[in-house]
Structure formats: C-alpha cells, structure tokens
Amino acid sequence: MDNLHNTMYNENNTVTVILTVWKRNHLEEQIESMLSQTVTPNAIWVYQCKNYVDVSATLAKFPFVEHLHSSVDLKYFGRFSLARYVKTNYVWILDDDVIPSSNWLIKSLQLCEKENAIISSAGRIIPKGDYFPERLENVNQFFFGDVPRQGSQNLCFKNTVVDFGCNGWLFKRQWLDYFWSASPFTLETAEDMHLSAMCKIKAGIRTIVPKQTSEETSGNLKIQYGLDEYASWLRGGFFDERNEVLHYLIDHLAWRPLLWERNLKKEVYRFTLQSIKLGRQVLKKIRAILIAFSTR
C-alpha cells in the first residue's frame, strides 16, 4: 500500500459500513471485501430496498451482519437517513456495484483524518457555468477515479479535490448534521451532490478522491458492475433532474463549485480594484470642490 501520510491512523476510531441491495446482487462479494480490509469495520449494515433479489443465503453465512429491509423503496437518500442511527465515529456508505481493495478503508480513514474531508473513490468537478456536468464530453477532463485508461479498477494519479464524490463516501458521523441541515431538492437522485455541497457550505469540508495507481490501492476493483442495465444514469430524465438539483444548490443555497469559486474570487478582486479607482476619482472631485470653496 502507498504510504500516504506520516501521521498514524487513530485506532480508537470506529466505522460502520452501510451496503445496499436493490436489483443487483454483489452482496456476498462486498461483505467478503469488508472482512478482508486491513482495518475491518466495527459494524456492517445491509440496507435492502424492496424484494428484487434474495440475499437470505448470503446473510446466513454472515450472521453478525445487520439486515435492514424496507418494503418501501427509500432510494439513495434512505442510506443517509439510516446513517443517523450509527454509533461509530465514521460512516462508510457504498454503492451496490463497488468492490474496494483490502487497503481502501485504512487509506480513506488516514486521508479523512489528515484533510478533514469526505473520501470517495470517484468524483466530478463541475465546469464553470455548466449545470449538466456529467455529459460525455466532460469525461476526460472532469471525471476522476472511475474512468480508467487501462484495467477494470478505479484509477486516479494523485489525491484530487472534487466537487462531489461517487461510488461511496467515508465521512465523520457528525457531518450528517450538515447533510440534513437543508432539505434535498428531491429524494429521487443527487445524494452525492447534496452531501458534498452541504458539508462545503456549512463547514468548508472538501471532497477528495485519493490516489489510486494499482489494484492494491483502488477504491473499486469491479467498474464493470456499474455498467449494467441498472446504472442510474441510464434512466430517463437522470441528467435533467440533476440539472435542477444543481440550480437549487448553486443558485438558492449558494454552493460554489471549485472552478466557480476561483472565478468568483477573481471577480471580487476585479470589483475591488474598480471600487478603489472609482473611490479615488470621487476623492479628486471632492478635493477640487473643497479647494474651489477655500479660494473664494
């Protein structure tokens, strides 16, 4: 494993992982991946929506795994509601198509502690002024982690700050207060955007995709699992809904994505210079008026 930091991981930290079951069934492989971590989670919760797949045989193999089954499809945000009941210091929520390497949890905990950031194995940067950032033309420049140039695992050549994470999220449990401090625009999609936006707005917390250069350091070894018929981005209206969410987060809640924030600083600087120049012009006029009055 890459030696990311000189600081040591705090062994007193505890983690609950929340796995999801909907129509995919990679649960056994995911649980085995959790148990193979160099630092294993303190608790594993399986959150199952509806009754599309039978996971009873898998759960019988792992009786210590908690199974929370909802006959109502609470979708993506349901995981973050469930996370409010976690007692550990950290929460690790994983999509149902993600199989992390055995070093991923310790690596994520180290980086989360050092940078005080949400950790995801993939993420996106939103181009300036673009409310449809997940279009194919943005993939090469603004997608990080889950667009490998080779192999089937997530790759990222350096620790990268992004606007929002994908695939999964490791974060401090208390940050859920920020997540729920504003109502989501919709409960149908964009929990990934909402998490990063609210944590950034309320506490300046960033989202980071860690360096992943090999199978041993990758946050997802099975990218192909997410390229099936159940991929959310294949659903009609997906991009339009997320466009509306971005308008809500940016225009109404004042979230500033990375590239937008940098330009905003330049605009403020430019405005300040203009104000100074204008102020000087006004002072000259006032001085001229005072001189005219004093000579009368």
Side-chain angles (χ1 to χ4, degrees), residues 109-296:
L109 285 167
Q110 287 177 332
L111 192 56
C112 183
E113 286 187 10
K114 181 184 180 185
E115 300 292 344
N116 199 48
I118 300 163
I119 307 302
S120 294
S121 65
R124 311 286 182 256
I125 289 178
I126 303 171
K128 170 70 173 174
D130 190 350
Y131 290 88
F132 288 92
E134 294 163 304
R135 295 173 298 177
L136 290 178
E137 53 263 42
N138 287 332
V139 168
N140 289 333
Q141 188 174 359
F142 299 109
F143 284 41
F144 298 87
D146 55 352
V147 188
R149 301 296 181 266
Q150 58 185 12
S152 62
Q153 75 271 8
N154 280 17
L155 292 173
C156 191
F157 296 108
K158 64 178 181 179
N159 291 344
T160 304
V161 178
V162 295
D163 285 312
F164 62 93
C166 313
N167 289 178
W169 308 266
L170 182 129
F171 55 91
K172 296 179 181 180
R173 175 174 51 87
Q174 63 264 34
W175 294 351
L176 288 164
D177 291 342
Y178 305 134
F179 182 91
W180 291 113
S181 63
S183 298
F185 178 79
T186 175
L187 295 176
E188 296 295 318
T189 185
E191 80 292 356
D192 47 2
M193 294 175 175
H194 192 81
L195 174 65
S196 290
M198 295 313 303
C199 285
K200 182 71 180 297
I201 292 168
K202 295 296 183 178
I205 296 165
R206 302 177 300 167
T207 301
I208 297 177
V209 175
K211 179 180 178 181
Q212 302 162 72
T213 56
S214 66
E215 288 188 2
E216 290 72 29
T217 59
S218 180
N220 186 14
L221 300 173
K222 300 291 180 68
I223 285 181
Q224 66 270 22
Y225 284 174
L227 302 177
D228 59 11
E229 61 189 298
Y230 304 122
S232 58
W233 55 273
L234 292 175
R235 177 174 54 82
F238 174 80
F239 297 107
D240 290 332
E241 289 175 355
R242 289 169 76 81
N243 161 60
E244 292 181 19
V245 170
L246 283 177
H247 275 289
Y248 170 67
L249 294 172
I250 294 170
D251 301 344
H252 296 281
L253 297 187
W255 180 37
R256 284 295 173 265
L258 295 168
L259 299 180
W260 305 41
E261 187 174 68
R262 290 170 188 160
N263 285 330
L264 179 64
K265 289 178 181 178
K266 290 180 181 178
E267 290 166 9
V268 169
Y269 178 68
R270 189 182 303 113
F271 175 77
T272 301
L273 287 179
Q274 291 172 347
S275 299
I276 291 172
K277 290 179 181 177
L278 180 62
R280 287 173 178 170
Q281 292 172 359
V282 171
L283 286 173
K284 285 182 180 179
K285 290 182 179 180
I286 292 175
R287 189 178 295 114
I289 292 171
L290 290 174
I291 292 173
F293 272 103
S294 65
T295 57
R296 287 182 178 181

Side-chain angles (χ1 to χ4, degrees), residues 63-83:
F64 52 85
V65 171
E66 300 291 346
H67 182 215
L68 300 106
H69 190 186
S70 173
S71 59
V72 178
D73 187 356
L74 301 178
K75 301 186 178 180
Y76 308 105
F77 281 87
R79 302 174 292 181
F80 290 86
S81 296
L82 181 61

